[in-house]
């Protein structure tokens, strides 16, 4: 069975600190934190790839991987939660840093094909 996950990608005016800051934010989100504590989910940074899995040069994505299908969380539900968390992070970033936050994409992926 393929591992399911969610890819979070920042584009546009992203600073070097944005990706680690977003990852830390996601790790503190209640649902994600609980799933990580249970060993059902991992959050990691991975080099950016295209749809075929080939490296895309500079860039990194955050990959949220469901490790255990028995976690009882559907990927679609998790995508909604991650999108809300990313939106909250962007709003927070607006208040603590100058300039617009980067644009983002949050999408389900088959981790084995990534």
């Amino acid at each position: 069975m393929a591992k399911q996950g969610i890819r979070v990608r920042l584009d546009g005016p992203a600073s070097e600190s944005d990706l680690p800051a977003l990852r830390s934010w996601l790790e503190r989100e209640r649902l994600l934190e609980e799933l990580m504590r249970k060993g059902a989910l991992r959050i990691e940074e991975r080099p950016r790839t295209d749809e075929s899995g080939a490296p895309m040069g500079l860039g990194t994505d955050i990959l949220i991987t469901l490790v255990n299908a028995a976690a009882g969380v559907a990927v679609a539900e998790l995508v909604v939660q991650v999108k809300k968390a990313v939106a909250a992070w962007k709003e927070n970033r607006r208040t603590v840093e100058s300039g617009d936050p980067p644009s983002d994409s949050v999408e389900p992926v088959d981790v084995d094909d990534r």
Side-chain angles (χ1 to χ4, degrees):
M1 178 178 183
K3 285 188 207 171
Q4 299 220 316
I6 299 167
R7 179 178 54 215
V8 180
R9 179 170 283 173
L10 297 179
D11 291 308
S15 71
E16 286 186 31
S17 63
D18 281 335
L19 199 69
L22 176 54
R23 179 181 176 180
S24 293
W25 184 278
L26 292 171
E27 288 171 342
R28 290 188 304 268
E29 283 294 311
R30 187 181 318 163
L31 175 62
L32 302 180
E33 182 179 38
E34 182 180 319
L35 290 170
M36 284 189 306
R37 197 173 349 99
K38 291 178 180 179
L41 182 130
R42 283 194 318 259
I43 299 176
E44 54 196 351
E45 294 176 32
R46 294 260 181 105
R48 186 172 287 191
T49 60
D50 64 15
E51 294 304 316
S52 71
M56 288 181 59
L58 296 177
T60 305
D61 295 329
I62 294 175
L63 187 64
I64 301 169
T65 306
L66 285 170
V67 178
N68 183 350
V73 177
V75 173
E77 292 174 38
L78 201 54
V79 168
V80 170
Q81 292 297 318
V82 171
K83 284 182 178 185
K84 288 179 182 179
V86 170
W89 171 80
K90 286 174 68 172
E91 188 59 37
N92 181 70
R93 185 190 178 281
R94 281 184 184 92
T95 65
V96 297
E97 288 190 36
S98 61
D100 290 330
S103 58
D104 66 89
S105 65
V106 177
E107 59 189 3
V109 294
D110 179 342
V111 176
D112 296 331
D113 289 343
R114 190 183 127 58

